[in-house]
Amino acid sequence: MNRLSTMIIFLVCVLLFSICAHAADDPEQLFEKAVTAFNDGRYDEAVSLWEQALPLYKKSGDTEHEAMVLNNIGLVHFYTRQYDDAVGYFKQALAIDRKRDISRDVATDLQNLGLAYFRLGEYNPALSAFKESAAVFDTIGDINGTAANLQQLGLTEFALGNYAEAGRYFITASDLHRGVRDRKGYAIDLMGLGDTYAALDRFDKALENYEEALKVREVLGEVEPYVATRIRIARAFANNGRYDEALEYLKQAKKDAKEAKSDPLMGDIASAWAEVLNSSGDADGALASFDEALALMKKGNDLSGAGMALTNRGIILSELLRFSEAEKSFDDALLIYQVTKDPRNEAKVLINLGNLANETGDLDGAFSFYTQAETLLNGDRGGAISGVNYLGIGEVYLKKKEFKKARAVFGTAGKLLTGERDKRYSAKIDACFGLLDYYEGDYVSAIGRFNKALTILRKENARTLVADILVGTGMAIIEGGRPDVASGYFAEAKRLADDLVIGPVGWRAVYGDGLLKETAGDKAMAMARYEDALFRLSGMPDIVPTLYGSRIITIDDLLDRLSSGDADNTGTEQFDRTRVKDNFERIAGLFVDTEEARSAKDEKLVERVRNAIGKFNYLEKRLADDEYHKGNNAELFSKKLLGTQGEYLKVLDDIRNTAPELWDECFSGLYE
């Protein structure tokens, strides 16, 4: 899975339900019964009893206990994930306590309010609440309260992508926690610092803080936090392309977790194991580990963990082009988040469903999913998640050729995706603006936009995206009247595509070079380039390539050039454009559910075709992720891509030799 989903799990877990409650010292029976019910987890009963007590306190003018009841009802809503309702009750309690002018109660209400805002993803009001709470606690000399709020400020700034600011808060909080010998709080600060350094690509410093947190938690003797730290270290190694070391940490975590006898904890380890295998390009192993994680999480009634595992599983299946299975996995995750009232993660699943529909051509369905997600995120309060959602909406408008709307939405996405770890998204948005400029004929602006994206991506060593956008830049330069300059862009794109085995970009780079040859009047050489492009495309057909520059060139463009070239060469075999195009459509049709009956033997062969093309698509994305995390495993993924290409060609031979009717139906028009 992508890296943003993993961080949010951490942010939710480390809160440790540290929310505060007023001391309950009223002897009244209703209040005491409510407290007992609350502590036993009978939340509906607790709320009912407190609601009965509330008007009695109001009538008697006992504002202290009135605020206490409101705060505690807010706690119930917080624990049951009804965060909007929790905010309302905490605000009422805060208003009363401000009038009472009791600093400790005001600080507590503010901290509770900040935590509820944080869970809603409303980070700016959360920051305001935590800052004021920390200041009040500091004024009354409550070091623990001050440190707790500074820690929450660090977590909130981290969620906003303000990593330098987050680090400063974690350092200050850690000094205070260490001073009062609060080892639990200190360990959480260290974990926050580790995540901050990891986000800033300072893996050495991240590991240093994680290891220190591991030592502290070992002293505390609490198995679950100790194992959770090992999982975090494993993820950090995986995000840096050090997969073997990541698995070693997870092996030790599994060994340590056995004494806890916790199914959810073992499920967390299995899920992290799946993430590491996925990062290394082992899709089958990752799916098997996610299935193991789901079984353990369901057994332990860990619905939140199960929802995350289902989401990540669905992402892998969609990248493997196993669309029906992916949709089912997303739907199951969506149901869990709806039941557990988790709108933020529900929105993430809807975005993934939108991406799935977008890639498979269901633009109206995609727009519906994105719109639902936008409603849950309440516009820009979702921060970077909202930005990713707007990027999807912009893609829909772009594909529908509603360019004015696309520009507006991409602009909104750009304002939300400004964090240190959002650079790749920022480059994609620049590339999308470049596409819009190109389609509208403003080639000078398109060149500028593409080059801006290239500058970012070169710094990030994101060579797969660089290769893609180089092709788009070359096309814009040709249209801008400088074909002599464009040749360098296509040459670099082809070299990168060949080195990294990026099929969808490689054939387009060769096509671009053919276009240059044709522009120069060398039609024979141009035709040779077009035929080479077709050969490359035939080696691994595009099904749903995600491209941000080279998408300017379509299969239809290539077939048109081949057709026109043959028309100019009388006496040669006529290129059958319709036959080849139909064949591409038939191959793409193999990935769509159909009622067409096939023999068991043919269905197995078709399944092998789907697996090979799907695995190729998946590995291209893993290669891009590895480059983004600076894992330096390009050689590993390139070998896997070549192996997958070989699997595809092998199944074509088997179909031609053993299933002539299937060959004639789907493949002969392209490969003979």
Side-chain angles (χ1 to χ4, degrees):
M1 180 176 174
N2 60 59
R3 181 180 184 84
L4 183 61
S5 295
T6 303
M7 285 298 119
I8 284 174
I9 291 176
F10 168 63
L11 293 173
V12 170
C13 290
V14 296
L15 291 175
L16 296 177
F17 295 101
S18 60
I19 207 158
C20 312
H22 293 308
D25 57 359
D26 192 323
E28 285 194 29
Q29 191 175 17
L30 282 171
F31 191 95
E32 290 300 332
K33 283 183 177 180
V35 171
T36 300
F38 177 85
N39 290 333
D40 290 343
R42 293 178 280 119
Y43 296 133
D44 289 342
E45 182 181 342
V47 169
S48 176
L49 290 165
W50 273 320
E51 285 178 341
Q52 293 175 55
L54 187 60
L56 300 176
Y57 289 129
K58 286 183 178 179
K59 186 175 181 180
S60 66
D62 187 347
T63 55
E64 178 184 359
H65 286 91
E66 182 184 353
M68 193 184 300
V69 167
L70 289 166
N71 181 73
N72 289 343
I73 294 175
L75 282 171
V76 173
H77 288 294
F78 184 92
Y79 289 130
T80 54
R81 298 175 180 270
Q82 300 174 66
Y83 303 122
D84 281 314
D85 291 333
V87 165
Y89 282 103
F90 291 146
K91 280 184 174 180
Q92 292 180 64
L94 177 62
I96 293 170
D97 284 333
R98 284 193 192 279
K99 290 180 181 178
R100 293 175 56 233
D101 198 23
I102 305 297
S103 295
R104 183 173 301 279
D105 290 347
V106 169
T108 298
D109 295 335
L110 284 164
Q111 184 178 357
N112 292 345
L113 185 61
L115 288 167
Y117 277 132
F118 182 91
R119 291 295 184 91
L120 284 168
E122 296 188 28
Y123 298 129
N124 288 320
L127 284 175
S128 297
F130 290 138
K131 284 178 181 177
E132 187 179 354
S133 180
V136 175
F137 274 127
D138 186 49
T139 299
I140 62 177
D142 188 330
I143 296 175
N144 288 303
T146 304
N149 278 278
L150 289 170
Q151 184 182 88
Q152 298 301 336
L153 282 165
L155 294 170
T156 308
E157 292 286 11
F158 186 96
L160 284 167
N162 301 327
Y163 302 122
E165 194 66 26
R168 282 190 282 271
Y169 280 122
F170 286 133
I171 289 170
T172 307
S174 68
D175 289 341
L176 293 177
H177 279 133
R178 189 170 55 236
V180 296
R181 299 184 182 279
D182 181 353
R183 287 173 172 166
K184 288 185 180 180
Y186 180 54
I188 294 172
D189 298 330
L190 290 169
M191 295 296 288
L193 273 171
D195 284 341
T196 300
Y197 280 119
L200 293 169
D201 291 324
R202 289 291 307 281
F203 178 68
D204 55 335
K205 295 292 292 182
L207 187 59
E208 180 183 314
N209 281 276
Y210 289 144
E211 292 284 9
E212 181 65 21
L214 194 65
K215 292 176 184 176
V216 173
R217 286 178 165 174
E218 186 175 18
V219 171
L220 289 170
E222 296 174 342
V223 176
E224 292 198 20
Y226 182 71
V227 170
T229 306
R230 285 198 177 278
I231 292 173
R232 175 76 79 261
I233 295 172
R235 285 184 169 130
F237 272 114
N239 284 336
N240 280 267
R242 296 164 66 174
Y243 308 123
D244 291 338
E245 290 159 288
L247 291 176
E248 284 301 316
Y249 268 90
L250 290 178
K251 286 176 185 176
Q252 187 60 49
K254 189 179 290 188
K255 184 178 178 181
D256 295 334
K258 285 183 178 178
E259 63 181 274
K261 297 179 180 179
S262 167
D263 289 322
L265 188 60
M266 293 298 289
D268 287 342
I269 295 170
S271 188
W273 196 288
E275 292 169 22
V276 175
L277 293 178
N278 178 42
S279 295
S280 69
D282 182 0
D284 293 335
L287 290 172
S289 291
F290 274 130
D291 287 341
E292 179 188 351
L294 282 168
L296 289 163
M297 289 166 173
K298 289 177 181 177
K299 186 178 177 183
N301 199 33
D302 180 8
L303 291 179
S304 179
M308 190 62 64
L310 283 164
T311 303
N312 291 335
R313 182 175 177 273
I315 291 170
I316 295 174
L317 289 166
S318 65
E319 290 172 343
L320 289 167
L321 311 184
R322 291 159 62 175
F323 302 128
S324 297
E325 295 172 82
E327 186 176 16
K328 174 66 167 58
S329 198
F330 288 139
D331 285 343
D332 289 346
L334 192 66
L335 180 61
I336 286 175
Y337 291 132
Q338 288 170 342
V339 169
T340 57
K341 298 177 181 177
D342 187 344
R344 195 168 179 79
N345 279 317
E346 184 183 346
K348 288 185 195 174
V349 177
L350 287 166
I351 292 170
N352 280 306
L353 281 166
N355 293 340
L356 183 63
N358 204 341
E359 288 194 338
T360 54
D362 181 8
L363 299 183
D364 291 335
F367 188 80
S368 175
F369 286 125
Y370 293 139
T371 302
Q372 292 176 63
E374 183 184 4
T375 300
L376 288 170
L377 293 168
N378 192 18
D380 65 355
R381 84 175 185 184
I385 301 174
S386 289
V388 173
N389 190 49
Y390 284 124
L391 186 57
I393 294 172
E395 279 278 332
V396 172
Y397 284 135
L398 181 57
K399 289 177 180 177
K400 286 187 170 184
K401 301 189 185 305
E402 297 183 35
F403 296 147
K404 186 175 181 180
K405 290 181 179 178
R407 282 189 185 279
V409 174
F410 286 137
T412 302
K415 292 175 183 177
L416 295 168
L417 293 165
T418 58
E420 185 70 23
R421 299 297 288 180
D422 297 329
K423 289 180 180 177
R424 181 162 55 164
Y425 284 121
S426 178
K428 288 178 179 179
I429 291 169
D430 280 322
C432 287
F433 276 120
L435 287 169
L436 287 168
D437 291 335
Y438 181 92
Y439 292 139
E440 292 182 333
D442 188 350
Y443 303 118
V444 173
S445 181
I447 294 166
R449 289 285 194 175
F450 284 137
N451 276 321
K452 184 179 177 184
L454 286 171
T455 299
I456 296 171
L457 295 170
R458 288 187 195 280
K459 288 180 181 178
E460 295 297 305
N461 193 37
R463 294 190 298 163
T464 54
L465 283 169
V466 167
D468 169 22
I469 295 172
L470 280 167
V471 175
T473 313
M475 292 297 293
I477 291 172
I478 289 175
E479 295 294 344
R482 292 295 306 277
D484 54 317
V485 178
S487 60
Y489 286 83
F490 293 129
E492 184 183 357
K494 179 180 176 296
R495 178 180 59 76
L496 287 172
D498 288 346
D499 287 348
L500 302 172
V501 197
I502 314 171
V505 175
W507 77 258
R508 287 174 168 87
V510 173
Y511 170 92
D513 189 49
L515 204 59
L516 289 176
K517 297 293 187 291
E518 185 174 339
T519 302
D522 191 346
K523 289 200 171 183
M525 187 60 73
M527 281 300 296
R529 293 288 188 271
Y530 298 145
E531 288 168 0
D532 183 17
L534 180 63
F535 177 77
R536 289 166 175 263
L537 177 56
S538 303
M540 189 62 69
D542 292 348
I543 302 300
V544 286
T546 303
L547 303 171
Y548 292 90
S550 57
R551 77 165 72 175
I552 288 170
I553 301 169
T554 67
I555 292 175
D556 276 340
D557 292 332
L558 174 60
L559 300 182
D560 286 344
R561 291 289 172 182
L562 285 163
S563 298
S564 63
D566 279 335
D568 292 337
N569 290 284
T570 56
T572 63
E573 182 181 349
Q574 183 70 28
F575 176 78
D576 191 341
R577 180 191 186 285
T578 303
R579 183 180 176 213
V580 174
K581 185 179 180 183
D582 288 348
N583 192 255
F584 276 122
E585 291 175 353
R586 289 192 189 98
I587 294 173
L590 297 176
F591 292 83
V592 180
D593 289 336
T594 177
E595 297 179 0
E596 184 178 354
R598 290 194 178 93
S599 68
K601 181 187 75 174
D602 284 0
E603 190 55 43
K604 285 183 179 179
L605 291 167
V606 168
E607 184 69 16
R608 286 174 60 193
V609 170
R610 286 197 291 256
N611 285 344
I613 297 177
K615 190 175 178 183
F616 194 87
N617 181 74
Y618 164 84
L619 286 169
E620 284 185 327
K621 294 185 187 304
R622 294 288 73 74
L623 170 60
D625 287 340
D626 185 77
E627 289 183 329
Y628 180 60
H629 293 302
K630 300 179 175 63
N632 298 317
N633 292 295
E635 185 177 351
L636 167 70
F637 286 104
S638 296
K639 286 179 179 177
K640 289 185 176 184
L641 282 162
L642 283 170
T644 302
Q645 206 167 37
E647 290 171 21
Y648 177 70
L649 296 174
K650 175 65 168 63
V651 71
L652 288 184
D653 283 341
D654 291 345
I655 291 172
R656 183 168 53 186
N657 295 332
T658 66
E661 291 184 3
L662 179 60
W663 177 263
D664 289 341
E665 175 195 345
C666 294
F667 302 99
S668 63
L670 187 59
Y671 294 99
E672 289 184 350

